[in-house]
Amino acid sequence: MATNFSSSWRSALVPLAVLLALALFPLAAAPLGLDFYVGFVRRMLVFALAAASLNFIMGFGGMVALGHAGFVGVGAYTVVVLTDAGVASAWLVWGAAMLFAALAAALVGAVSLRTKGVYFIMITLAFAQMLYFVFVSLRSYGGDDGYSLPMRPGLGQGLDVMHEPTLYWVVLALVALALWWLDRATGSRFGTALIGIRDNETRMRALGYPVYLLQLVAFMLAGAMAGLAGALLATGNSFVSPSMMHWTQSATLIVMVVIGGLGRRWGGPVGAVVWLALEEALKLNTDYWHLPLGVLLIATALYAPKGLAALLEWRSGRAV
């Protein structure tokens, strides 16, 4: 019992330590002349949320969606449309982004979940590309060139959205809360049923579980979280482009999840952080930065098929 308590305490301590370090980072970045990396780490946090939302349906639900970036794009363009319409509250804009992304996921999932295997992959890809070409055709919002926000939506409560550390801390709080909720959801009865469907759908149907409904709800929840990631990305960058919902972005999210650990608690965030950190470092040193990242993916598939998070699990003796 003492060993289990120690393992549980250590498992809870690590995320808290990481959260504390991230919260203190802007304070340390200024005197060290690393102000640029406040925005970079904020971008990491956003992609960690997007990857975690994909891992929720792909790793725990067995739904390999090659169009998840489409929901990120819906969230981002919701910020554009509402801000352009005069909505000044970031909280309203971000909430609307989650809502519209969830509705888009409901429409996509209602059709896609009636198929299995490669057909599911291709239909989610087709829907995402449809969304991509819809936003490319919207000339009033920049079309293929993208759209720059005239101003960031306000946070209220005396918080200055133009102050980068303030926005960073707000994003950190929202991402931490969303990741905590996703972790709780996977450990709930709903999450357990979702894992059961992934492992043996036929048996779960025989036991009376509403498989289609459970998958659709999970798909909508993941879409809402991806929409929040897109809204935070658009707010931070003050710019959106249809390229953020191209199928290559969906493929990148899948790669992040695979590298981090498919179906691991922190597989999405770990994969996103490793991928983006290596991408940034390699871009500074070589024009051929794609090659080492490809080698990393191959090495992960051959020597760490359970992902980098599984290495942490092996070290701690607890699922990560």
Side-chain angles (χ1 to χ4, degrees):
M1 181 178 296
T3 302
N4 291 336
F5 175 79
S6 175
S7 177
S8 177
W9 178 81
R10 189 167 60 246
S11 178
L13 183 62
V14 172
L16 290 175
V18 172
L19 181 62
L20 178 61
L22 288 170
L24 294 175
F25 176 72
L27 300 178
L32 294 175
L34 300 175
D35 300 273
F36 164 79
Y37 288 99
V38 173
F40 177 68
V41 175
R42 186 186 66 223
R43 180 168 173 264
M44 276 186 170
L45 291 170
V46 172
F47 274 93
L49 175 58
S53 67
L54 177 58
N55 194 28
F56 181 66
I57 56 172
M58 188 171 77
F60 295 98
M63 294 172 272
V64 184
L66 190 53
H68 202 64
F71 307 131
V72 176
V74 169
Y77 270 92
T78 299
V79 173
V80 167
V81 173
L82 293 182
T83 302
D84 188 63
V87 179
S89 171
W91 307 108
L92 289 177
V93 170
W94 294 342
M98 294 180 69
L99 176 61
F100 284 115
L103 291 175
L107 294 174
V108 174
V111 177
S112 303
L113 289 170
R114 298 184 184 279
T115 63
K116 303 296 178 188
V118 68
Y119 301 104
F120 177 83
I121 297 173
M122 297 308 296
I123 288 181
T124 55
L125 169 61
F127 273 113
Q129 287 302 98
M130 286 169 59
L131 286 171
Y132 167 75
F133 285 112
V134 165
F135 286 103
V136 164
S137 66
L138 294 179
R139 297 300 175 189
S140 57
Y141 294 109
D144 195 33
D145 295 325
Y147 184 88
S148 296
L149 294 178
M151 61 176 293
R152 289 174 175 173
L155 295 169
Q157 307 300 318
L159 299 174
D160 183 7
V161 73
M162 299 306 295
H163 184 239
E164 293 299 326
T166 299
L167 180 61
Y168 172 94
W169 283 316
V170 171
V171 171
L172 174 61
L174 289 175
V175 170
L177 183 61
L179 292 179
W180 172 82
W181 185 88
L182 284 172
D183 184 51
R184 295 286 293 178
T186 54
S188 67
R189 293 178 61 186
F190 172 76
T192 303
L194 200 62
I195 294 171
I197 294 170
R198 176 199 67 187
D199 294 340
N200 196 325
E201 182 177 328
T202 303
R203 178 176 292 179
M204 295 299 285
R205 287 185 187 277
L207 290 173
Y209 283 86
V211 170
Y212 177 80
L213 180 60
L214 290 172
Q215 289 180 321
L216 183 58
V217 170
F219 204 79
M220 290 176 62
L221 292 174
M225 292 299 175
L228 176 59
L232 295 176
L233 191 64
T235 303
N237 294 342
S238 296
F239 177 80
V240 296
S241 169
S243 62
M244 70 191 309
M245 62 179 71
H246 194 265
W247 75 267
T248 53
Q249 297 300 315
S250 296
T252 299
L253 289 176
I254 291 178
V255 170
M256 289 177 179
V257 173
V258 170
I259 289 175
L262 191 64
R264 301 286 165 177
R265 291 174 62 209
W266 302 107
V270 169
V273 169
V274 170
W275 182 268
L276 292 176
L278 285 177
E279 181 182 70
E280 182 68 16
L282 291 170
K283 281 182 176 179
L284 294 175
N285 293 284
T286 177
D287 293 331
Y288 305 101
W289 55 273
H290 295 87
L291 180 59
L293 289 174
V295 172
L296 171 63
L297 180 59
I298 294 172
T300 302
L302 292 177
Y303 302 109
K306 294 182 179 180
L308 299 180
L311 300 179
L312 300 177
E313 175 185 342
W314 175 74
R315 292 288 301 274
S316 66
R318 183 178 171 85
V320 176

